Amino acid sequence: MMQVFGGKHVPEMRGPVENRVYVGNLPWQATWQDLKDHMKKAGEVTYADIFKEASGRSQGCGLVAYSTADAAQRATFELHDSELFGRKLLVREDRDDTSEGRQGCRVYVGNLAWS
């Protein structure tokens, strides 16, 4: 189930944070099923989803939950820089235990002073 924050759809957090990984640089055409199928090389995937804009367009990143912390750690070592549809994925531990503040994959900072 997706949650909506600031008009964007973010994956529901499932399982303990130590069992989850963040996956970045996903190809736009990748579905949650493509992500799950790719990530199960490291262990049993219990949940996979992709961040989406309010329009339904992928934001190019997602979350994957594993049945164990060992599988999540294995994914960070074995699947970081692996390819999905020709794109190298960034795989790291999920650092956020709440869905608050998960506004997507991009940060824009504007109107900064020159000095």
Side-chain angles (χ1 to χ4, degrees), residues 45-61:
V45 173
T46 59
Y47 180 78
D49 211 346
I50 295 175
F51 289 75
K52 296 185 184 257
E53 298 284 345
S55 66
R57 180 178 179 249
S58 169
Q59 290 183 332
C61 57

Side-chain angles (χ1 to χ4, degrees), residues 54-105:
S55 66
R57 180 178 179 249
S58 169
Q59 290 183 332
C61 57
L63 291 177
V64 176
Y66 286 93
S67 59
T68 67
D70 287 339
Q73 187 176 35
R74 193 168 35 258
T76 63
F77 291 111
E78 295 177 7
L79 297 176
H80 178 71
D81 282 339
S82 64
E83 287 192 13
L84 180 62
F85 298 125
R87 291 192 64 148
K88 282 192 174 188
L89 302 180
L90 169 121
V91 180
R92 64 163 171 77
E93 72 279 356
D94 183 29
R95 298 179 185 142
D96 194 316
D97 198 20
T98 66
S99 52
E100 311 299 329
R102 283 200 182 269
Q103 299 295 319
C105 304

Side-chain angles (χ1 to χ4, degrees), residues 11-31:
E12 179 181 332
M13 303 302 107
R14 294 199 181 174
V17 70
E18 60 270 9
N19 290 18
R20 296 191 310 249
V21 296
Y22 167 90
V23 183
N25 202 36
L26 287 170
W28 302 122
Q29 73 268 30
T31 65

